[in-house]
């Protein structure tokens, strides 16, 4: 009976988990790249209307959204549209065009305050966008960093639609003057702040891109670092980066073996009703059981 309660907990954790290990930016202006989406193993794609699209191509790129969303890959990969900042000449029309195509998410850029999200949410509501259209937020401005707790708090209200943070370290480095070193030492405090705020708001949070897409060793190192920092996945810019991100943000074999030991131990008759047990010389509490169940559910959801 308790084993079945544990199975049920697994199932409910699994139902809410949506893998976002690798999230690929694809410029909406690049037909060759767009044609590749269906064959790629990323968990989500971000169709970009913002920085990857030149000003002269912005309107034509926006015009392609309907066709892209009408041909969603059968893999079930999430499709998110990144729009130009609402303060730009393109932002408002981008938001309307994206809302009409009903993607899984609309990624707002240059978000500074909770109000930016509330206003975008109002536009979606006024245009009858279904609740399935979520809002994602780039965290890439100094103001967003200062307001991050209040922004994340919106995640507790489903009506806000806020679902995911995306770290934008290229803009943060540009706006602050912080040096973007290979080990990201000056950016790490802000990245950790994003993870903390996201958890407080019940949001997913994705690590920033690695610009040097030919250096796959460096990329794997950065993925391992992002995973250890608590990110759910990594935004990537090139198909060659997908596999390493999928690997780094999936539960490792040793972590899964340990999780199974923990769930098995708590399922033993002598451990029923116990809050804390000893396992291999270590203290294990029920909070570790919850953590283990979440990890197993995650592995089941991605077929690991
Ligand atoms: N999505 C889908 N396919 C992509 C891709 C992407 N993001 N990036 C590259 N490809 C494809 C190319 O079309 C090419 O296809 P082909 O083999 O049929 O010619 C293949 O992968 C190999 O590409 P490659 O020649 O190695 O790279 P590139 O010089 O064509 O492109 C970039 C390099 C960085 C310009 C490109 O990867 C890119 O535009 N990435 C996204 C950038 C972006 O969106 N930035 C904004 C967010 S930070
Ligand atoms: Mg940016």
């Amino acid at each position: 009976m308790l084993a079945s309660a544990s199975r049920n907990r697994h199932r409910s954790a699994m139902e809410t988990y949506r893998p976002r290990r690798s999230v690929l930016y694809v410029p909406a202006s690049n037909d060759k790249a767009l044609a590749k989406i269906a064959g790629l193993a990323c968990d989500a794609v971000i169709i970009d209307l913002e920085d990857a699209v030149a000003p002269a191509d912005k309107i034509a790129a926006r015009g392609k959204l309907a066709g892209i969303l009408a041909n969603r890959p059968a893999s079930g990969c999430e499709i998110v549209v990144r729009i130009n900042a609402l303060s730009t000449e393109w932002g408002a029309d981008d938001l309307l065009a994206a809302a009409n195509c009903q993607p899984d998410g609309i990624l707002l850029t240059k978000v500074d305050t909770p109000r930016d999200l509330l206003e975008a949410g109002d536009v979606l509501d006024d245009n009858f966008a279904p609740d399935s259209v979520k809002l994602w937020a780039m965290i890439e401005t100094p103001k967003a960093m200062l307001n991050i707790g209040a922004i994340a708090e919106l995640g507790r209200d489903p009506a806000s639609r806020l679902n995911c943070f995306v770290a934008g370290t290229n803009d943060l480095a540009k706006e602050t003057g912080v040096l973007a070193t290979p080990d990201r030492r000056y950016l790490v405090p802000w990245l950790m702040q994003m993870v903390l705020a996201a958890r407080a708001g019940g949001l997913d949070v994705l690590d920033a891109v690695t610009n040097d897409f030919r250096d796959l060793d460096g990329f794997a190192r950065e993925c391992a670092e992002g995973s250890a920092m608590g990110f759910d996945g990594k935004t990537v810019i090139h198909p060659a980066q997908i596999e390493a991100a999928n690997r780094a943000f999936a539960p490792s074999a040793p972590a899964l073996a340990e999780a199974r030991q923990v769930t098995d131990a708590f399922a033993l008759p002598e451990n029923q009703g116990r809050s804390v047990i000893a396992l291999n010389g270590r203290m294990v509490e029920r909070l570790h059981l919850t953590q283990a169940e979440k990890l197993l559910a995650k592995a089941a959801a991605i077929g690991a």
Side-chain angles (χ1 to χ4, degrees):
M1 159 144 180
L2 274 149
S4 100
S6 153
R7 261 199 309 278
N8 285 339
R9 273 200 303 276
H10 268 205
R11 205 170 295 127
S12 72
M14 196 154 49
E15 276 156 12
T16 52
Y17 175 70
R18 171 121 225 195
R20 288 172 176 159
R21 297 163 298 170
S22 54
V23 177
L24 175 71
Y25 284 105
V26 186
S29 52
N30 184 338
D31 289 335
K32 216 167 142 194
L34 289 168
K36 290 223 146 49
I37 294 174
L40 297 173
C42 49
D43 287 329
V45 295
I46 297 173
I47 307 295
D48 192 23
L49 299 177
E50 201 220 17
D51 284 353
V53 178
D57 299 331
K58 296 267 190 207
I59 291 169
R62 184 197 297 145
K64 289 191 192 155
L65 285 182
I68 297 167
L69 268 298
N71 292 298
R72 299 178 67 117
S75 62
C77 154
E78 278 186 292
I79 309 263
V80 173
V81 177
R82 184 167 90 158
I83 64 171
N84 289 285
L86 295 170
S87 57
T88 66
E89 61 182 286
W90 306 286
D93 288 339
D94 285 355
L95 180 59
L96 282 176
N100 282 334
C101 300
Q102 304 188 0
D104 296 297
I106 298 176
L107 174 55
L108 303 183
T109 50
K110 311 291 184 320
V111 168
D112 282 332
T113 65
R115 176 155 298 282
D116 294 333
L117 281 150
L118 292 170
E119 286 176 1
D122 285 346
V123 172
L124 296 188
D125 294 344
D126 292 347
N127 287 277
F128 308 103
D131 294 344
S132 59
V133 180
K134 302 298 180 198
L135 284 173
W136 291 24
M138 291 298 306
I139 304 297
E140 58 181 347
T141 69
K143 277 190 183 163
M145 284 314 309
L146 292 173
N147 294 323
I148 190 123
I151 296 172
E153 193 61 32
L154 292 176
R156 293 290 167 198
D157 177 6
S160 78
R161 299 174 187 257
L162 180 60
N163 184 266
C164 188
F165 278 166
V166 181
T169 46
N170 283 329
D171 271 287
L172 269 173
K174 167 178 165 270
E175 294 302 317
T176 59
V178 150
L179 193 63
T181 56
D183 66 1
R184 306 198 291 179
R185 72 174 68 178
Y186 305 113
L187 290 163
V188 162
W190 295 333
L191 291 167
M192 292 307 307
Q193 203 56 23
M194 290 180 207
V195 173
L196 191 68
R199 298 305 169 225
L203 303 168
D204 277 357
V205 57
L206 304 177
D207 198 358
V209 299
T210 305
N211 296 332
D212 189 355
F213 63 89
R214 301 276 182 230
D215 175 11
L216 291 179
D217 290 338
F219 180 71
R221 268 197 307 280
E222 208 168 281
C223 284
E225 178 188 275
S227 172
M229 287 162 74
F231 283 100
D232 294 292
K234 187 139 175 94
T235 45
V236 304
I237 49 173
H238 192 280
Q241 296 178 318
I242 294 172
E243 198 191 318
N246 283 350
R247 213 178 14 242
F249 290 94
S252 68
L256 282 175
E258 196 183 319
R260 275 188 212 103
Q261 282 189 356
V262 171
T263 54
D264 289 351
F266 271 106
L268 291 173
E270 62 267 34
N271 289 333
Q272 303 308 315
R274 292 186 65 185
S275 299
V276 58
I277 59 174
L279 181 65
N280 303 331
R282 287 178 48 224
M283 176 188 77
V284 181
E285 296 175 279
R286 288 215 170 250
L287 67 90
H288 297 114
L289 175 61
T290 310
Q291 238 177 325
E293 285 171 342
K294 253 177 113 168
L295 199 78
L296 292 169
K298 187 170 168 177
I302 59 180

